Amino acid sequence: MILLTGATGYIGSHTWLALHAAGMRVAGLDDFSNSSPEVLRRLAALGADVSTFAEADVGDRAALDAVFGRWQIEAVVHFAAWKAVGDSVARPLDYYRNNVGGLIALAEAMQAHGCKTIVFSSTATVYGQPRSLPVREDAALAPSSPYAETKLIGENMLHDAERADAAWRVAVLRYFNPVGAHASGTIGEDPRGTPNNLMPFVAQVAVGKRAKLRVFGNDYDTADGTGVRDYLHVEDLAEGHVAALRHLQGGAGSLTVNLGTGHGVSVLELVRAFERASGRAIPCEIAPRRAGDVAAYYADPALAERLLGWKATRDLDAMCADSWRWQAANPDGYATV
Ligand code: UDP
């Protein structure tokens, strides 16, 4: 049994389905602090066994002990954390308590129950402003927000645990920009309030929930002046977790890899692709740059391919088509029902 923390979140829910498709049994954990119980009904409708779900905060050690006591957990895929960069600047202590405190409780519970295999959800923002592109895993680390800092602390904590006890097996996955939705259109990203990220914002403009997209800067040193990112389909990302888990369970050593496509896409390129996929116009207005944004970053994903045999297969059109299918069928996210 694989313990999935943050199981009803955006990436967690897609990973649950990917693990299920790979024939693995999943025990899910989530406190619904940033997700909906409706996700469980959707997962069940797609064939996942959700009877093995526990509602709990990952920082609750007694709840974790109960989970490890109840099911034979061989490995953990850990998503339960908060991820909004701006929010982390405003509420840093909450982020440290939730993201770092949660991982400490989890790792201690794992150790106590003899389970030392973990896939850890990290982020490309640990690189900060990249010095060269594409970004390789050995690039300088310069987290520029409390959020990024909590992830780097998590990486280091797990590596230190492994140095002290070679039985630990740790896969650190540094994600670039996950977007898109499950091909069924029933599972997707459901941000609370105004979306911070580009793709959910564009999707909400397309469906008529928001009047226009504000493009944060068109005077960057990029081909069309707008910011460039490495957008990655969430189903490819979910499959990356399955590959990492298989790698660790096969007895191979720990690793730290980027998960991205290796292709940079500008804000305006993404908008045009979404217009094609949805058949809707996306009104845009050029706005000032957003504080803290970098002009461009995209992954060198070669190491993940070499070590895991994993490579993103879904292109930008598929990302937009799947995101649109989800948004059009669920204009108010999981609250639509
Ligand atoms: N962006 C934008 N308008 C928005 C949200 C994002 O122009 O309403 C731009 C942002 O400046 C960046 C890109 O879209 O160039 C991706 O932003 P996102 O927040 O999705 O990812 P991140 O910047 O964290 O990589």
Side-chain angles (χ1 to χ4, degrees), residues 85 125 177 195-199 201 213-216 227-229 231 267 290 293-294 297:
V85 171
T125 62
N177 291 56
N196 294 308
N197 296 116
L198 179 62
M199 182 73 103
F201 200 105
L213 172 72
R214 299 178 69 227
V215 176
F216 297 142
V228 166
R229 297 289 183 273
Y231 299 96
V267 174
R290 184 171 64 177
D293 268 358
V294 303
Y297 71 83

Side-chain angles (χ1 to χ4, degrees), residues 57-77:
D57 177 344
V58 72
D60 178 346
R61 176 62 197 274
L64 289 173
D65 283 336
V67 165
F68 280 96
R70 186 156 165 215
W71 296 299
Q72 184 67 40
I73 308 290
E74 305 140 44
V76 176
V77 182

Side-chain angles (χ1 to χ4, degrees), residues 48-63:
D49 174 9
V50 297
S51 66
T52 47
F53 176 81
E55 180 177 348
D57 177 344
V58 72
D60 178 346
R61 176 62 197 274

Side-chain angles (χ1 to χ4, degrees), residues 33-96:
S33 62
N34 194 25
S35 63
S36 163
E38 172 63 15
V39 174
L40 293 173
R41 286 185 280 281
R42 306 278 179 106
L43 289 172
L46 291 167
D49 174 9
V50 297
S51 66
T52 47
F53 176 81
E55 180 177 348
D57 177 344
V58 72
D60 178 346
R61 176 62 197 274
L64 289 173
D65 283 336
V67 165
F68 280 96
R70 186 156 165 215
W71 296 299
Q72 184 67 40
I73 308 290
E74 305 140 44
V76 176
V77 182
H78 177 47
F79 293 109
W82 293 332
K83 58 159 192 179
V85 171
D87 198 28
S88 80
V89 175
R91 305 191 293 133
L93 300 185
D94 288 345
Y95 269 70
Y96 282 95

